Amino acid sequence: MQNHKERLLTLLRQRSFRKGKFVLSSGKESDFYIDCKQTSLSAEGHVLIGKVIFSLIQENFPEARCVGGPTLGADPLVSAVSLISWIEQKPLDGFIVRKEPKGHGTGVWLEGATHIPAGTRVVMLEDAITTGATTVRSIQRVVEAGLHVLGVVVLVDRLEGAREKIEQTGCKICSVFDRHDFL
């Protein structure tokens, strides 16, 4: 697994990491940006993310039965982990937390969760975290839907307070990488 993790970091550095002046989704200004979708939507990155995060879930949350996360950053992560879990014969179905409830049809907050029974143990996925606000809102939506959130696995923790905010929800958090891997 170490080789997969090392290759994934190389891809993230090449495809996703940028220095400059950026405004983050939190509204904070930053002198670097990590656009994980540039890696997670590549064929190689998708597979590596699936393998590395699936391994972390098996190690830290073996009782998990599903993975989910907030759209749009978690969408490819959920897909990758779900696919790898099926190949490894330890299936984890996926779901996506919408930014707002669907405006037509069923009006749901969670896509793909219709067949997930209440009380199911799930792990939330995130591509990058800064303040943790999006993750906390997503955890609340998932809990309101009757699912049990075991924890959060994040691809990159910017180490700007998100971890502490997420831990206040009672969730354990694991990160694959953090800002020190890039700066």
Side-chain angles (χ1 to χ4, degrees), residues 94-182:
F95 62 89
I96 301 298
V97 181
R98 292 175 151 277
K99 292 180 181 179
E100 55 188 54
K102 192 173 182 179
H104 60 282
T106 58
V108 297
W109 280 97
L110 306 184
E111 288 295 341
T114 305
H115 300 288
I116 302 173
T120 298
R121 293 179 170 130
V122 305
V123 172
M124 300 296 289
L125 306 180
E126 276 279 20
D127 59 350
I129 55 173
T130 305
T131 66
T134 301
T135 308
V136 169
R137 276 193 306 273
S138 295
I139 290 169
Q140 291 168 343
R141 295 288 181 225
V142 171
V143 169
E144 289 167 3
L147 304 178
H148 178 77
V149 180
L150 296 171
V152 176
V153 176
V154 61
L155 191 54
V156 180
D157 183 349
R158 292 177 54 95
L159 300 177
E160 296 182 31
R163 175 175 295 273
E164 295 78 10
K165 192 170 195 173
I166 293 166
E167 287 174 341
Q168 289 174 356
T169 70
C171 290
K172 177 180 175 182
I173 182 168
C174 302
S175 60
V176 179
F177 305 110
D178 65 38
R179 74 184 295 129
H180 299 299
D181 293 302
F182 298 90

Side-chain angles (χ1 to χ4, degrees), residues 14-145:
Q14 290 172 347
R15 298 178 72 111
S16 299
F17 179 76
R18 301 284 179 267
K19 284 189 170 191
K21 298 259 184 207
F22 303 95
V23 177
L24 306 175
S25 63
S26 64
K28 292 177 77 172
E29 290 186 12
S30 177
D31 59 357
F32 73 96
Y33 188 67
I34 303 172
D35 182 1
C36 294
K37 289 178 287 304
Q38 299 303 315
T39 299
S40 65
L41 291 170
S42 73
E44 182 182 13
H46 197 75
V47 169
L48 291 171
I49 285 168
K51 288 182 176 193
V52 169
I53 292 179
F54 177 72
S55 177
L56 263 177
I57 291 169
Q58 291 301 296
E59 181 181 326
N60 293 280
F61 309 104
E63 64 276 27
R65 295 295 167 256
C66 295
V67 292
T71 199
L72 180 70
D75 293 5
L77 279 61
V78 169
S79 171
V81 171
S82 188
L83 174 67
I84 295 299
S85 74
W86 178 261
I87 291 169
E88 295 295 326
Q89 299 180 10
K90 296 180 181 178
L92 299 171
D93 288 336
F95 62 89
I96 301 298
V97 181
R98 292 175 151 277
K99 292 180 181 179
E100 55 188 54
K102 192 173 182 179
H104 60 282
T106 58
V108 297
W109 280 97
L110 306 184
E111 288 295 341
T114 305
H115 300 288
I116 302 173
T120 298
R121 293 179 170 130
V122 305
V123 172
M124 300 296 289
L125 306 180
E126 276 279 20
D127 59 350
I129 55 173
T130 305
T131 66
T134 301
T135 308
V136 169
R137 276 193 306 273
S138 295
I139 290 169
Q140 291 168 343
R141 295 288 181 225
V142 171
V143 169
E144 289 167 3

